[in-house]
Amino acid sequence: MSKHIDNDTLKQALSVYFISGTTNVNRPLPNVLTEAISGGITLFQFREKGSGCLTNKAKRDMAEKLFQVCKDHQIGFIINDDVELAIAMNADGIHIGQKDAGASITRKMIGENMILGVSVHTIEEAKQAVADGADYLGVGPIFQTNSKQDAEEVCGPERIMDMRKSGINLPIVAIGGITVEKTPEIKRAGADGVSIISAIASAPSPSYAANQFKEIMKD
Ligand SMILES: C=C1C=NC(C(F)(F)F)=NC1=N
Ligand SMILES: [Mg+2]
């Protein structure tokens, strides 16, 4: 079966990858997402985690709303962790971490037509994810992050460079404490994109923040 998306299209989509759940914003997430899209984000991940997050039907209803906003603007919609929900909604993709079900099991569950992203911290984890059929890797935490409670230790942009040197050619998006100022260094290290939670979700203007990342990532 043909892949849902080719590498180059996916690399483009990963360039400004906004990730958020309802606990990362203090106003309706569909509104924040719409503003971030108008500012130029290229992909969205719904990551509903942590204390006070939505569950069950409320989570499903929010996911449907956010998916519709993405469809209305031709932006890909990725769900974090929740493979059943991603399959039930026919989302564009699923993102899993090292603590979730293995990437190869997940790939079997979702088939070839859904994007599979995997969080990796080490070169060994990256090689395993490639072997398991991942479409892209989330590498980090590159810098200190407040958005993830159980983050691994900070690895710096050089981890991305080391992965490239070891022959990892899969699309890579950097994650963890990413700001506009730090983005050029991440690009130079070989990342195809940056994934952002609070620098857009908590920005006074999510569209302005998204546009700043877009401007840096486009050239
Ligand atoms: C923990 C995560 C690490 N990386 C990514 C992504 F940026 F999508 F690759 N998403 C996550 N939820
Ligand atoms: Mg996870």
Side-chain angles (χ1 to χ4, degrees):
M1 282 150 81
S2 70
K3 275 256 177 185
H4 181 84
I5 191 168
D6 64 83
N7 252 5
D8 288 344
T9 310
L10 184 52
K11 285 183 177 181
Q12 281 303 317
L14 289 169
S15 52
V16 183
Y17 189 177
F18 177 41
I19 300 178
S20 189
T22 58
T23 65
N24 302 108
V25 293
N26 46 29
R27 54 196 174 92
L29 184 51
N31 299 4
V32 177
L33 175 56
T34 303
E35 291 173 32
I37 289 173
S38 69
I41 64 163
T42 51
L43 186 63
F44 175 68
Q45 178 188 131
F46 180 42
R47 177 174 179 271
E48 191 63 9
K49 286 189 95 158
S51 60
C53 71
L54 301 178
T55 55
N56 305 322
K57 187 171 180 329
K59 176 180 174 183
R60 169 77 190 254
D61 291 347
M62 177 56 74
E64 294 286 3
K65 274 198 197 94
L66 297 166
F67 194 10
Q68 192 54 52
V69 170
C70 288
K71 282 178 190 164
D72 293 348
H73 298 85
Q74 292 82 46
I75 294 284
F77 178 76
I78 309 289
I79 291 186
N80 184 52
D81 284 357
D82 195 336
V83 184
E84 288 73 22
L85 179 58
I87 292 171
M89 298 177 62
N90 195 23
D92 293 307
I94 177 78
H95 186 90
I96 58 171
Q98 293 295 316
K99 298 190 187 89
D100 298 301
S104 56
I105 299 168
T106 305
R107 174 55 81 194
K108 286 191 183 61
M109 288 170 73
I110 64 175
E112 287 303 312
N113 279 345
M114 202 181 273
I115 296 167
L116 173 61
V118 181
S119 305
V120 295
H121 182 67
T122 65
I123 290 179
E124 293 70 31
E125 287 175 350
K127 288 186 171 167
Q128 185 61 54
V130 172
D132 290 346
D135 291 305
Y136 74 82
L137 305 176
V139 178
I142 303 294
F143 302 108
Q144 194 59 44
T145 176
N146 304 322
S147 301
K148 183 174 168 64
Q149 273 52 53
D150 58 341
E152 303 260 6
E153 86 275 358
V154 169
C155 59
E158 47 281 356
R159 181 64 51 83
I160 298 170
M161 214 179 297
D162 293 345
M163 288 187 179
R164 291 303 189 206
K165 282 182 190 149
S166 71
I168 304 276
N169 299 315
L170 213 58
I172 285 178
V173 60
I175 188 160
I178 293 173
T179 61
V180 169
E181 297 71 29
K182 295 171 180 171
T183 297
E185 181 188 7
I186 292 167
K187 248 186 106 175
R188 281 195 300 275
D192 297 292
V194 286
S195 56
I196 304 122
I197 301 181
S198 39
I200 293 179
S202 319
S205 164
S207 58
Y208 179 74
N211 194 258
Q212 284 188 297
F213 284 107
K214 177 92 174 184
E215 283 307 303
I216 297 170
M217 290 307 294
K218 76 177 188 337
D219 46 26

